Amino acid sequence: MNRTVYVDTRQLLMVLFLSRIFTALTFTPQGDERIAGSTVMLGQLLSCLLQLLLLVPAWLLYRDHPRASVLDCANTLNRPLGGILAVLYGAFFLVNAVYTAASFDFFLTTAIYPNSSSWLPLILLVGVAWYGAHVGIEPLSRVAGFLFVGVLLSGVFIALALIPRYDLSNWVSPLYDGVEPVWRAAWGSLTRSTELAAVLLLVPMVKGNLRSGVLWWQGITLVAFEAIGLGTLLALGEYAGTRLFPVYTLSTIAEFSIFQRMDALHMAVWVFLAALKTGLYLFLAAFCLRDILPQGQKKFALPFCAVLLLVGSIWLARQGGLLVGLTSPFGGVVPLLLLVAVCPLLLWLWERMRGRREVHHGA
Amino acid sequence: MVRKTWLLIFCTLPLLLSSGCLGVTSLDDRAIVELLAVDWDGSEYEIQLSLFQAQENVTAQAGGETVQNLISGRGNTMAQAMESASSQAGKELFFANNELILLGEQAAGEQLNFLLTYLNANPQIRPSVRLLITQGAARDFLQEQASDQLAKNLLGTLENAQEEGLLSSAQLIDVLRQLEGPKGCAPIPIVGSGQEQLEQVVLATPQGIALVLQQREAYGASWLTDRVRARLLSVTDGSGEPVTLRASAGKGRIHLTETDPLSYTLELSVTLRVEESMAPIEPEEVPDLEHTVEQAIEQEVQHTLQATTLDRGLDLVGLSAALRQQNPSYYRDHREELGDLLQQAQIQVQVSARLERVGMQASQ
């Protein structure tokens, strides 16, 4: 957990992209009250614009401090405030790590191995995430490089195998049910974009042009989500709404030559994505905790977070309804708005006001 | 750093590989279902499961003759019936290899919607599993068939009939998709006892069986609902000699006229190749052959549309989906009375046939 390591913006882009794409693979339509596929696609575009808008305060802060994370900025202004923010960000990342691990378990014990024990996969996942967080962002981002190629190839393969099932008549106007479902889809997508908060903390560890990296990340993620949405819509139509995991269903009906179903491919990719995302969030949670722990006790940050992750994910995996609740459009967006937009905006304003006062006093 | 990266990848592998160790059930404790048959007697479900068995076991048990390995279960709900069958087998039921589901006539007639929902919600059952309705009880049909290869044989027959354009795929996913929307209906093949060929197709709605299609209507339904791969058509050439053509087509496209929301044009593009003819097909004969085929298919499709949509208001071809897509405001306002409105629809069928390969084999 050395914060002076550097990752390339392309590597950062791949880590964030893969972390974000994980939510698509386990997306369940119940959370969005069966919004039409084309509406979700339009909502995705709107969500992308909202995400860029949310990052404006962070960009203002970054413009003044190109090598400082949001916690560094807060610590410079006021040390207790930095501590409070570290707790808030740390809790946010830990909750998201718990949610990711619980979703992994929920999918595994619902779609793949119904009625099987939820202990073993969670223990193994937390173990891998712990090691990933221990080695840090650089090895994680290198793994993301391999995984990115794997995700791309498997996605293209499944998309091609589904060609006979595409039916253009499944497409309906995204505004068929009015504007409200588009907003709901956009909020839902925004709620799942927890990587926005990760960007604010990873700033000091990235070399290269972060702004263009973030724009590329948003662009590639949007294209990938629209492609997944279009594939699901054309291949499944409204039938997608009857399936618990529509994207997984795509892989079970994809046939090509002797390959009768491709869910094993989907599964392999998805396991690696779960490990990467949980590892990333565990790394960030421990990173925040280290910020407030006294010297000499910092080494306990990661084990402490890992234990909380294990206990929390086992508990959450047993509360199926909560999994949906965490991603409900309005249930999860408030903390994200606070941490991604409001905190950086307040810090930037504080800095501006203090700067102006100092100039005023100097004059 | 490279070493740490590879180590991280290797650490993730046990997570991937150990997923097979979850809830371990050995092969001996699994009942691998090849075919599921469901009956409904008005109050209870009865299921029959044809299980996979190794070939040497089959012949050893029956003294050289092949027999089915059947188990059954009963219950007020499908879950209870499954549990009962599992108890009888003393094994855990495993459906991942099940490619065919037989529905007894009464079960399909009275419980279709519930059964489809149940099958769709079962994570083990493939969305691409094929459905087949039996005349009478599925139990009786199974007991009359002695072959241990029943599932395989029936699947082969279904695939052949689909290739020939007699029936649509009738996969669970396709049936559910066709039943969506107002007045949705799906063609499902029906098989009688001792029948080698599937010659009948029923039109199912969420409420049950709405109509039994005649063979000509079944062919028409395939043009409308599925890709036809290899339909053989017999026509005569300019000199009155018979010519056999192999026709294939994608699913038809529907257009609405801009002025009238109940006026549709159905476009069907058919590719032909000569399968058999007495004499070489001359280039000047090609347009006439194509036109003859176009007329034959148009009549078949019009006949089917008359019997299903115009007479009964059943949306076989997906007119409501086209209306929703192309005139959403009208669809929204008239969704409830769409069945009646479809009966007043003007449907123009435009078939364009193209003879792609004139290469033929002359018969003696």
Side-chain angles (χ1 to χ4, degrees):
Chain A
M1 293 216 303
N2 181 0
R3 63 183 301 174
T4 56
V5 292
Y6 291 103
V7 292
D8 199 71
T9 43
R10 278 172 301 182
Q11 290 176 311
L12 175 76
L13 182 155
M14 285 187 276
V15 172
L16 297 175
F17 168 77
L18 293 174
S19 172
R20 181 74 183 87
I21 211 84
F22 173 80
T23 57
L25 302 188
T26 48
F27 173 73
T28 175
Q30 271 83 344
D32 280 344
E33 292 170 12
R34 296 189 59 175
I35 299 172
S38 51
T39 310
V40 173
M41 288 174 67
L42 185 60
Q44 202 69 51
L45 180 64
L46 192 60
S47 163
C48 178
L49 297 174
L50 286 173
Q51 287 175 47
L52 290 175
L53 197 67
L54 282 185
L55 283 174
V56 169
W59 175 73
L60 293 172
L61 209 57
Y62 170 75
R63 203 177 48 175
D64 296 343
H65 308 279
R67 300 241 55 87
S69 73
V70 68
L71 293 184
D72 296 332
C73 295
N75 281 328
T76 313
L77 282 170
N78 183 295
R79 182 65 195 161
L81 174 71
I84 293 169
L85 284 189
V87 171
L88 288 178
Y89 278 96
F92 178 79
F93 290 123
L94 191 59
V95 167
N96 275 289
V98 166
Y99 175 72
T100 305
S103 319
F104 167 84
D105 186 74
F106 179 63
F107 176 72
L108 203 67
T109 55
T110 307
I112 315 286
Y113 302 105
N115 309 321
S116 63
S117 156
S118 61
W119 289 78
L120 182 64
L122 280 177
I123 291 170
L124 285 171
L125 179 71
V126 172
V128 174
W130 188 341
Y131 181 68
H134 171 71
V135 294
I137 190 69
E138 198 174 345
L140 276 176
S141 60
R142 282 170 181 253
V143 171
F146 291 108
L147 202 48
F148 184 78
V149 177
V151 167
L152 209 63
L153 289 178
S154 71
V156 168
F157 193 50
I158 290 173
L160 291 177
L162 284 168
I163 286 176
R165 289 207 171 263
Y166 293 144
D167 186 350
L168 287 175
S169 68
N170 287 331
W171 177 268
V172 287
S173 163
L175 296 172
Y176 174 77
D177 290 318
V179 180
E180 194 265 341
V182 180
W183 278 107
R184 218 147 29 93
W187 278 117
S189 164
L190 191 63
T191 308
R192 290 183 283 272
S193 303
T194 49
E195 290 74 19
L196 293 172
V199 175
L200 307 190
L201 262 82
L202 290 171
V203 170
M205 301 172 211
V206 181
K207 61 182 175 187
N209 190 338
L210 186 63
R211 269 171 298 187
S212 71
V214 168
L215 287 175
W216 272 103
W217 163 52
Q218 285 291 331
I220 290 174
T221 307
L222 178 65
V223 169
F225 270 84
E226 297 294 18
I228 292 171
L230 189 65
T232 311
L233 175 66
L234 295 185
L236 301 181
E238 284 191 31
Y239 172 74
T242 69
R243 304 293 295 183
L244 195 54
F245 301 107
V247 180
Y248 170 68
T249 302
L250 283 182
S251 66
T252 63
I253 61 167
E255 290 178 33
F256 178 73
S257 185
I258 55 165
F259 303 103
Q260 284 199 349
R261 47 194 289 173
M262 298 186 186
D263 44 347
L265 186 63
H266 177 98
M267 167 89 182
V269 164
W270 171 81
V271 164
F272 274 95
L273 287 183
L276 180 83
K277 183 166 183 167
T278 315
L280 173 69
Y281 282 145
L282 184 61
F283 167 77
L284 290 169
F287 178 83
C288 293
L289 188 59
R290 274 169 57 93
D291 217 45
I292 49 171
L293 285 178
Q295 206 67 35
Q297 290 181 14
K298 290 187 188 293
K299 62 185 174 194
F300 297 116
L302 182 57
F304 178 71
C305 289
V307 171
L308 281 183
L309 169 62
L310 183 63
V311 174
S313 54
I314 289 173
W315 174 78
L316 190 61
R318 288 160 182 252
Q319 323 286 323
L322 259 178
L323 282 175
V324 179
L326 272 182
T327 55
S328 66
F330 296 98
V333 83
V334 175
L336 191 74
L337 286 176
L338 272 175
L339 297 179
V340 175
V342 176
C343 287
L345 183 65
L346 292 178
L347 287 175
W348 182 75
L349 288 172
W350 190 345
E351 258 194 6
R352 287 273 137 167
M353 284 166 63
R354 198 173 72 168
R356 200 172 293 164
R357 207 178 303 139
E358 280 169 3
V359 170
H360 181 71
H361 285 305
Chain B
M1 197 52 66
V2 174
R3 196 171 59 87
K4 283 181 180 173
T5 306
W6 282 108
L7 205 54
L8 187 54
I9 291 173
F10 281 117
C11 280
T12 316
L13 285 178
L15 186 61
L16 180 66
L17 301 176
S18 67
S19 57
C21 304
L22 296 172
V24 178
T25 309
S26 74
L27 206 54
D28 289 340
D29 296 327
R30 272 193 200 281
I32 301 172
V33 178
E34 283 193 320
L35 191 153
L36 163 66
V38 185
D39 281 310
W40 166 255
D41 64 6
S43 60
E44 273 195 325
Y45 291 99
E46 181 180 354
I47 60 167
Q48 309 279 325
L49 302 164
S50 174
L51 305 181
F52 170 79
Q53 50 190 337
Q55 195 59 37
E56 53 270 28
N57 290 347
V58 179
T59 46
Q61 282 169 14
E65 287 182 18
T66 56
V67 291
Q68 287 182 84
N69 186 9
L70 277 181
I71 57 166
S72 60
R74 289 184 77 88
N76 292 325
T77 63
M78 275 296 288
Q80 283 176 355
M82 291 282 190
E83 188 59 41
S84 153
S86 177
S87 302
Q88 190 196 328
K91 295 180 177 184
E92 187 180 302
L93 302 179
F94 184 71
F95 285 93
N97 294 76
N98 178 26
E99 291 184 69
L100 182 62
I101 294 175
L102 297 181
L103 301 175
E105 204 169 353
Q106 195 175 355
E110 295 173 16
Q111 295 289 311
L112 187 67
N113 200 27
F114 174 80
L115 283 171
L116 294 179
T117 308
Y118 171 82
L119 296 170
N120 188 41
N122 188 327
Q124 271 195 26
I125 290 178
R126 299 174 177 210
S128 57
V129 67
R130 285 171 185 268
L131 302 176
L132 179 61
I133 297 173
T134 59
Q135 282 178 351
R139 176 193 57 241
D140 299 339
F141 177 81
L142 275 185
Q143 282 166 359
E144 283 168 19
Q145 312 288 323
S147 169
D148 66 311
Q149 301 284 312
L150 179 62
K152 201 175 166 187
N153 294 344
L154 280 172
L155 277 170
T157 312
L158 282 168
E159 275 162 19
N160 285 343
Q162 190 188 350
E163 286 265 306
E164 289 165 15
L166 178 60
L167 51 93
S168 309
S169 72
Q171 291 180 349
L172 178 63
I173 177 173
D174 295 326
V175 170
L176 282 163
R177 283 177 59 183
Q178 284 160 344
L179 292 181
E180 279 164 9
K183 307 305 282 183
C185 61
I188 304 177
I190 182 165
V191 64
S193 301
Q195 274 185 263
E196 287 296 315
Q197 289 282 321
L198 292 161
E199 289 178 350
Q200 276 193 311
V201 174
V202 299
L203 220 50
T205 66
Q207 290 74 39
I209 296 169
L211 179 66
V212 179
L213 297 179
Q214 302 305 311
Q215 196 182 59
R216 190 181 179 202
E217 293 159 357
Y219 277 124
S222 287
W223 292 119
L224 295 171
T225 58
D226 207 351
R227 290 187 310 143
V228 175
R229 294 191 186 93
R231 166 84 185 276
L232 290 180
L233 295 165
S234 291
V235 292
T236 50
D237 64 10
S239 54
E241 297 291 348
V243 178
T244 306
L245 299 164
R246 186 176 286 268
S248 56
K251 202 180 151 202
R253 284 183 302 173
I254 306 166
H255 301 285
L256 266 71
T257 58
E258 286 182 15
T259 48
D260 183 1
L262 291 176
S263 180
Y264 302 89
T265 304
L266 186 61
E267 286 179 0
L268 200 61
S269 183
V270 181
T271 306
L272 304 168
R273 68 180 213 199
V274 176
E275 196 69 16
E276 190 177 351
S277 74
M278 296 296 285
I281 305 293
E282 299 299 334
E284 57 270 21
E285 288 180 291
V286 170
D288 284 342
L289 275 177
E290 289 175 342
H291 186 63
T292 310
V293 170
E294 284 168 0
Q295 279 188 321
I297 295 174
E298 267 175 35
Q299 284 172 9
E300 217 165 64
V301 170
Q302 284 286 11
H303 181 76
T304 308
L305 285 170
Q306 184 67 45
T308 56
T309 308
L310 301 176
D311 288 352
R312 292 178 174 80
L314 296 169
D315 186 12
L316 175 66
V317 69
L319 297 178
S320 61
L323 188 61
R324 185 183 174 199
Q325 186 185 46
Q326 295 170 42
N327 195 341
S329 59
Y330 184 88
Y331 175 84
R332 211 173 9 238
D333 296 342
H334 297 84
R335 186 186 154 91
E336 298 307 319
E337 69 258 35
L338 212 57
D340 295 333
L341 291 172
L342 286 180
Q343 287 184 272
Q344 301 157 26
Q346 301 290 318
I347 309 170
Q348 193 189 352
V349 181
Q350 287 181 355
V351 181
S352 78
R354 190 164 54 89
L355 191 59
E356 207 166 52
R357 287 171 68 178
V358 187
M360 51 86 218
Q361 299 164 314
S363 346
Q364 295 300 311

